Amino acid sequence: MKVSEMLPPEQQSQYILLEQTDKNYEVLYGWKPGTILKRISIWYGSNGLGRHLKQAYFVPANSDSKNYQIAWNDHVKEITGQLELDI
């Protein structure tokens, strides 16, 4: 990740890791479904896999780790603080 692609702390929003059919995040990074993550980079394009798919660098929200990892936008959900209703 280039320094210019890193978000300043005030723009780093929190996300929750969603349940996945595979266990790659857990096996590779130790992130279980429900882990709160902090997005520390801009969203990157998907290299032609689909216009709606993007990826960004994340770290666990409660960590000051420099060990950031990539997650796809359809594997995480932004925490907005708004109530959601399933109708």
Side-chain angles (χ1 to χ4, degrees):
M1 170 177 48
K2 298 176 187 171
V3 174
S4 63
E5 298 169 342
M6 195 164 197
L7 295 174
E10 62 274 2
Q11 292 180 2
Q12 295 177 356
S13 40
Q14 290 189 348
Y15 290 73
I16 189 165
L17 184 64
L18 302 174
E19 186 75 37
Q20 305 297 314
T21 55
D22 59 51
K23 300 292 182 196
N24 289 340
Y25 292 107
E26 187 172 351
V27 171
L28 297 173
Y29 314 140
W31 301 349
K32 297 180 188 241
T35 300
I36 306 297
L37 303 171
K38 179 172 50 175
R39 181 170 62 96
I40 62 168
S41 77
I42 62 171
W43 286 107
Y44 298 97
S46 62
N47 298 327
L49 295 176
R51 291 183 177 261
H52 67 286
L53 291 176
K54 297 179 259 183
Q55 52 189 326
Y57 285 100
F58 290 84
V59 295
N62 60 354
S63 168
D64 290 330
S65 173
K66 301 293 183 206
N67 187 18
Y68 41 82
Q69 305 295 339
I70 286 181
W72 292 93
N73 66 319
D74 62 338
H75 295 177
V76 294
K77 184 174 184 177
E78 187 171 12
I79 298 172
T80 61
Q82 294 181 342
L83 179 65
E84 293 185 21
L85 299 175
D86 289 331
I87 299 176

